Amino acid sequence: MALNLKQYRLNTLSDVKAYKKAGGDEFVTYYKAMKAFLDKLPYGSSFDILKNIPEKNLEKFVKTACVYMTEQAFDEVLFTDDYLFIKRRRVF
């Protein structure tokens, strides 16, 4: 069976809100670092999660990326179907 990180995703806006609230200051720090990185991810490129994120941080990374994605207005940053990569593309 192929590896799949989809089990870590946040499925609803309620899940997103609860995750942000429960994470406190640690979440805010991690989110700011992720946002700074993903905001600079070139259009048309992809980020290999397994290659770049330590295994112990995979769940936190996927969940925090879900928060980031819900807050985007002008760019589309999305997971591949298996949640192993993040891609960025222009919406407009």
Side-chain angles (χ1 to χ4, degrees), residues 5 47-54 58 61-62 79 83-86:
L5 299 176
F47 176 75
D48 185 333
I49 296 170
L50 292 179
K51 188 175 180 181
N52 293 287
I53 303 299
L58 290 175
F61 181 86
V62 170
F79 287 107
Y83 280 58
L84 298 177
F85 293 87
I86 290 179

Side-chain angles (χ1 to χ4, degrees), residues 25-86:
D25 291 340
E26 182 182 341
F27 165 78
V28 172
T29 301
Y30 194 80
Y31 178 83
K32 285 180 180 179
M34 175 181 282
K35 181 177 181 347
F37 171 75
L38 290 177
D39 282 351
K40 294 178 184 172
L41 187 66
Y43 291 105
S45 67
S46 62
F47 176 75
D48 185 333
I49 296 170
L50 292 179
K51 188 175 180 181
N52 293 287
I53 303 299
E55 186 175 348
K56 67 179 184 169
N57 292 337
L58 290 175
E59 182 175 0
K60 178 167 60 170
F61 181 86
V62 170
K63 288 182 176 185
T64 306
C66 287
V67 174
Y68 174 84
M69 291 174 191
T70 63
E71 297 179 351
Q72 297 308 296
F74 299 108
D75 294 329
E76 188 168 321
V77 178
L78 49 95
F79 287 107
T80 54
D81 289 342
D82 54 13
Y83 280 58
L84 298 177
F85 293 87
I86 290 179

